[in-house]
Amino acid sequence: MSFSQDKQDEITSKLADLHLEKYNFPVEIMICLPNGTVVHHINANYFLDITSMKPEEVESSIFSFSSSFEDPSTATYLQFLKEGLQKAKSYLP
């Protein structure tokens, strides 16, 4: 059976297309719904750029809630997850 004839592969292909719409080289960190909708995403290079800067060089909102975290990458990732959860709420009934 070819890729295009297999119903499961068709579903997988559609899900992959949803992710590829948001993908940017080399790695994209994504929060997705079970149906494949990308709710929030950040490029790994941008993430690394942010986390390599000192907190005073970055928008204070990224580090504002992170007083208990000394590691900028932890604070930035937690902020990313928090934003993703906020954005996902708009998809809930």
Side-chain angles (χ1 to χ4, degrees):
M1 185 178 290
S2 73
F3 182 78
S4 61
Q5 293 174 332
D6 184 355
K7 187 71 171 167
Q8 184 61 41
D9 284 343
E10 186 178 316
I11 293 168
T12 303
S13 177
K14 287 180 183 178
L15 291 173
D17 286 341
L18 288 171
H19 291 81
L20 287 172
E21 287 175 9
K22 303 295 182 182
Y23 173 76
N24 193 8
F25 181 83
V27 175
E28 198 75 21
I29 304 167
M30 297 182 189
I31 297 175
C32 305
L33 300 177
N35 69 2
T37 301
V38 178
V39 174
H40 193 38
H41 63 101
I42 186 171
N43 184 268
N45 286 336
Y46 179 70
F47 179 85
L48 291 173
D49 286 346
I50 290 174
T51 59
S52 68
M53 290 188 234
K54 295 177 184 169
E56 58 270 8
E57 297 174 339
V58 183
E59 252 183 70
S60 61
S61 63
I62 292 175
F63 296 101
S64 63
F65 75 101
S66 63
S67 60
S68 61
F69 300 106
E70 292 181 19
D71 177 31
S73 62
T74 301
T76 303
Y77 188 64
L78 286 173
Q79 181 64 27
F80 167 78
L81 293 174
K82 182 179 171 183
E83 290 171 5
L85 289 173
Q86 281 299 113
K87 290 180 178 189
K89 286 180 182 179
S90 67
Y91 292 93
L92 299 175

